[in-house]
Amino acid sequence: MAYRNPGVSLSLAAFLLMVAAGAVTPSQSPATSTQAPAASALATIAAPSAATTTPPAFPTGVVSAKGITHTFLAHAPIQGKVYKVAPNGDIVGEYTVGPKGEDSWLLPNGRLLASYTGGVREIDTATGATTWEYKAGPGVEVHSCQPLPDGRVLICECGSKRLFEINRDLTITHEIKLESSQPAHKQFRLARKTAAGTYLVAYGSDAVVRELDADGKTLQTFVVPPAKNPGVNGGFRLPNGNTLVTGGYGAEVYEFDHDAHIIWTLKQSDLPAGFNLHYMGTAQRLPNGDTVLSNFQGEPEVFEVTPEKHVVWQYHNEKIGPVSACLVLDAQ
């Protein structure tokens, strides 16, 4: 960089080299100059850019300008962890639960309940210690868990093809045998017990969600439209009696009415450029009518949309990676 001054031909860099060689002292001016470079010019040369760097608003995640507006759990099955994310996008909790799980819940006692491929664990979020665990048998996969009243847990198993409620002493209080012709990994995904006592079971690659009664009889079937990569990940009963269904690799979300007719759909073409829907995992309808979705191996991994399909916020964080399930903890 040259020190610019009318009538000065010697560069500042050359002058500094002369100082280092002892040819001149710092107090001397260059031979052709009438004054020394200003102190402010030297300071600018020493650190030209660092002082002007503006830190990002959300250092641990890429989110909308207003933040994500909620605290939520993000289940990262590849890492075998569940993360707690604050409304400013920061990670405020990180819990190791085991690989390939797809379901996690924060319990009233502050502990975390989560599935992993070989079972279900309850984790003390303060210490990371396992406080309860159900281990599945050989050849069995567990993708789903749901806390129930009185400490019971609803578990759906692939391979053994069964849905059951289990006590904390590991005694099974109720069990339903499920039918599937798919290989174990593709049989079932999430299962939910409804307020009416029925069960919504996602039949994975069969691309249907069935509502079962206590005896396992099918009361209703929610069939997603044909897709390039058919499948379902979960069925979620809404307070008005409708049912949200996430289409897995079909990369779409559907709302069915009481008669199992589709009345609302969200798909790739409904979203802004830059969105990449890959595998739709969970769907949570908020009291304000918006829906929060997880997008496994796509980007953003978590986002909220209005009934009109406008994006409220989106979240992507390379530290967390792919998210199979999201649960908003402060839904309002």
Side-chain angles (χ1 to χ4, degrees):
M1 173 183 282
Y3 169 62
R4 303 295 181 184
N5 195 324
V8 177
S9 59
L10 183 63
S11 72
L12 178 61
F15 173 64
L16 293 177
L17 289 172
M18 293 170 66
V19 171
V24 296
T25 64
S27 62
Q28 290 177 303
S29 301
T32 55
S33 174
T34 58
Q35 62 180 22
S40 60
L42 291 172
T44 301
I45 294 169
S49 60
T52 61
T53 301
T54 302
F58 303 102
T60 62
V62 178
V63 300
S64 302
K66 295 188 298 183
I68 60 178
T69 71
H70 296 291
T71 300
F72 64 83
L73 296 179
H75 199 128
I78 294 176
Q79 296 190 35
K81 294 183 177 182
V82 173
Y83 292 88
K84 186 178 181 181
V85 180
N88 71 342
D90 286 343
I91 295 172
V92 294
E94 180 177 331
Y95 318 107
T96 299
V97 297
K100 299 183 181 180
E102 298 183 34
D103 224 355
S104 48
W105 307 78
L106 191 64
L107 303 177
N109 61 9
R111 293 176 181 171
L112 182 77
L113 183 74
S115 65
Y116 66 101
T117 190
V120 177
R121 287 191 175 111
E122 182 186 88
I123 303 293
D124 186 326
T125 54
T127 65
T130 298
T131 54
W132 180 83
E133 184 171 12
Y134 165 77
K135 294 183 179 181
V140 174
E141 292 184 16
V142 177
H143 300 276
S144 175
C145 65
Q146 180 190 11
L148 299 176
D150 303 322
R152 290 173 290 118
V153 179
L154 179 69
I155 297 175
C156 185
E157 289 186 341
C158 300
S160 64
K161 295 189 283 190
R162 62 176 186 157
L163 177 74
F164 57 93
E165 299 181 21
I166 189 170
N167 286 322
R168 293 310 177 102
D169 62 3
L170 300 181
T171 57
I172 294 176
T173 61
H174 187 70
E175 181 174 338
I176 296 174
K177 291 295 184 180
L178 303 174
E179 299 294 332
S180 176
S181 60
Q182 299 286 347
H185 182 68
K186 297 183 178 182
Q187 289 172 357
F188 315 108
R189 281 303 179 265
L190 304 186
R192 295 288 186 265
K193 188 173 186 178
T194 71
T198 60
Y199 302 91
L200 292 170
V201 180
Y203 283 68
S205 292
D206 287 334
V208 299
V209 170
R210 293 190 174 97
E211 184 170 8
L212 310 177
D213 68 9
D215 297 321
K217 178 183 177 182
T218 299
L219 302 176
Q220 200 163 36
T221 302
F222 304 94
V223 183
V224 303
K228 181 179 179 180
N229 295 299
V232 293
N233 191 73
F236 311 92
R237 181 58 44 84
L238 302 178
N240 64 2
N242 291 351
T243 303
L244 282 175
V245 173
T246 49
Y249 286 117
E252 296 186 359
V253 181
Y254 312 91
E255 181 175 347
F256 291 82
D257 66 12
H258 296 249
D259 298 316
H261 297 142
I262 296 174
I263 60 172
W264 184 82
T265 303
L266 183 76
K267 51 189 176 182
Q268 180 76 59
S269 60
D270 295 322
L271 297 168
F275 269 65
N276 173 29
L277 299 187
H278 185 76
Y279 183 98
M280 302 312 298
T282 56
Q284 183 178 0
R285 180 64 52 81
L286 304 181
N288 66 0
D290 292 353
T291 306
V292 175
L293 300 156
S294 67
N295 176 29
F296 180 64
Q297 293 185 323
E299 191 175 320
E301 286 81 1
V302 182
F303 61 98
E304 177 180 337
V305 294
T306 67
E308 296 76 28
K309 307 175 187 179
H310 299 146
V311 176
V312 179
W313 54 265
Q314 55 183 292
Y315 188 76
H316 165 70
N317 190 331
E318 292 182 0
K319 176 178 173 60
I320 294 176
V323 173
S324 60
C326 169
L327 181 67
V328 172
L329 302 177
D330 55 356
Q332 296 178 358

